[in-house]
Amino acid sequence: MTDASALPLDALNAWLVVNAPELGRVTSVERYPGGFSNLTYALTTTSGSVVLRRPPVGVTPGSAHDMGRESRILSVCELRGIPAPRVLASCDDASVIGAPFYVMERIDGVILRGNSAPAGYDAAAFATLGERFLDTLIAIHGATPSDPVIGGLGRPMGYVSRQVEGWNARWQASRTDEVPSVDQLARWLDEHQPGESGACLVHNDFKYDNLVLDTKQPGRIIAVLDWEMATLGDPLLDVGTSLAYWIEADDHPAFKALGLGITALPGNLTRAQLWERYLKKSGRAPRASTWYHAFGVFKVSVIAQQIYARYRKGLTSDERFAKLGDVVRLLGEFGASVVAKG
């Protein structure tokens, strides 16, 4: 853990004593190595184990790094029975540890990362997980603007165009090299925007390694993590993002190297099956996935580019990020193939 991202324990403990004394005093900290954006820490306290979330170092404020917003979304999930960690304390005062933060319960379980399956995950377990993956995503999409917190997350009308414009603006602001394929993908998405399909809570980063699974029942989801990009939006764009993270056996090996190749193992749904079954289970009319999948690929390429730009500027020394420039180019080419195949 770098000095810039280290937690000042004295200041944190002083805040906890006043605002959340039931959590006890923090005695040790370990930063979770996974993830590419908001920072997550395992805290051992005198009363047990909890988790702290804060924004990354060197980023400008925004909804994806708004800790109060993220904690309120988790509270809605708790009320609706959507599996997610329970928020225990929240602090919007950046002077305490250098950024706003919140503390949530720690949920232990299996998190699927890498390209090989853990014990108990055969084809049957992955088939079960695929269906529960869809059921959980549909449950998230069941939270609508009628809920005051969800209704306050954004504007439902014009969401598609704002997403295209917003992610293109992020691409332009973070670019470090010329990547014509990503530029072309951005133009195609702008020129072929679909109509709105509805408005609800969208997770915006729904994939296997953001799920905590039961250690005794393979395929059972006990928590959904990383709600930093959740908002009020079009559910089909949310599914498109999941498609972009869903690796298949014949995809480029570089994508598997990102630790997402586990969806390519036997028993998993294909991207086509994931899309078709989502539409059927959610009661939506059949439609092509092309635009939504291409949008997801574009968004993931921009996220990778933003992280790579921080690495190039020296704002992070994590060597996982050194090759993200190559990944961005490959994603641009993959997005072009999604469009070409229709």
Side-chain angles (χ1 to χ4, degrees):
M1 182 165 53
T2 64
D3 290 338
S5 62
L7 293 180
L9 287 189
D10 289 343
L12 176 59
N13 278 321
W15 186 89
L16 289 173
V17 165
V18 174
N19 296 278
E22 69 280 2
L23 297 183
R25 180 177 178 277
V26 179
T27 57
S28 66
V29 176
E30 180 183 358
R31 179 178 159 191
Y32 287 102
F36 292 101
S37 188
N38 288 340
L39 305 180
T40 307
Y41 304 81
L43 309 182
T44 300
T45 77
T46 52
S47 65
S49 298
V50 294
V51 172
L52 182 145
R53 294 264 290 171
R54 58 148 290 171
V57 177
V59 299
T60 56
S63 60
H65 308 302
D66 186 336
M67 297 294 99
R69 184 176 189 271
E70 188 173 322
S71 67
R72 289 192 295 274
I73 291 171
L74 287 174
S75 298
V76 170
C77 291
E78 181 181 1
L79 291 173
R80 295 187 64 89
I82 297 169
R86 183 168 55 94
V87 175
L88 304 174
S90 181
C91 176
D92 60 6
D93 183 357
S95 68
V96 176
I97 67 168
F101 67 93
Y102 70 88
V103 180
M104 62 184 179
E105 66 175 329
R106 176 171 177 166
I107 300 179
D108 293 320
V110 175
I111 296 180
L112 300 179
R113 293 193 177 101
N115 302 317
S116 58
Y121 279 81
D122 54 12
F126 278 121
T128 297
L129 176 58
E131 298 301 330
R132 289 174 173 168
F133 181 92
L134 289 170
D135 291 341
T136 303
L137 184 56
I138 292 168
I140 292 169
H141 293 169
T144 65
S146 62
D147 182 286
V149 171
I150 304 305
L153 292 178
R155 294 168 291 154
M157 298 303 294
Y159 178 79
V160 173
S161 61
R162 288 198 305 276
Q163 285 293 294
V164 173
E165 293 169 5
W167 285 102
N168 188 38
R170 295 179 189 96
W171 166 247
Q172 300 299 336
S174 63
R175 62 192 305 156
T176 53
D177 305 285
E178 292 299 317
V179 190
S181 59
V182 178
D183 292 328
Q184 292 164 10
L185 184 58
R187 286 194 294 271
W188 184 87
L189 290 166
D190 184 47
E191 293 167 359
H192 296 81
Q193 293 183 38
E196 309 280 343
S197 74
C200 61
L201 175 63
V202 292
H203 183 275
N204 266 329
D205 201 25
F206 196 73
K207 51 192 173 75
Y208 272 3
D209 65 352
N210 278 336
L211 306 178
V212 182
L213 308 177
D214 195 311
T215 56
K216 297 180 180 179
Q217 298 182 44
R220 177 173 175 264
I221 299 169
I222 58 176
V224 180
L225 306 178
D226 286 359
W227 292 84
E228 60 198 62
M229 292 195 291
T231 190
L232 173 64
D234 189 317
L236 294 185
L237 273 69
D238 208 12
V239 184
T241 298
S242 294
L243 292 177
Y245 284 118
W246 202 270
I247 306 301
E248 294 184 352
D250 58 353
D251 287 341
H252 195 287
F255 297 149
K256 296 178 184 178
L258 294 174
L260 301 172
I262 202 162
T263 57
L265 296 177
N268 281 290
L269 298 172
T270 64
R271 286 188 288 260
Q273 289 171 332
L274 191 72
W275 176 260
E276 292 165 3
R277 294 191 191 188
Y278 174 84
L279 294 179
K280 184 176 181 179
K281 283 192 168 194
S282 62
R284 298 178 181 275
R287 66 169 73 191
S289 65
T290 304
W291 191 92
Y292 301 97
H293 187 192
F295 169 77
V297 173
F298 175 61
K299 187 171 82 169
V300 173
S301 71
V302 176
I303 293 170
Q305 177 60 37
Q306 289 176 312
I307 299 166
Y308 182 60
R310 294 211 308 268
Y311 176 83
R312 287 274 293 265
K313 291 177 183 178
L315 296 173
T316 176
S317 59
D318 193 325
E319 289 304 316
R320 292 179 302 154
F321 306 155
K323 295 183 178 180
L324 285 181
D326 295 332
V327 172
V328 171
R329 284 188 287 274
L330 287 169
L331 284 168
E333 294 168 5
F334 181 65
S337 73
V338 170
V339 172
K341 293 176 182 177

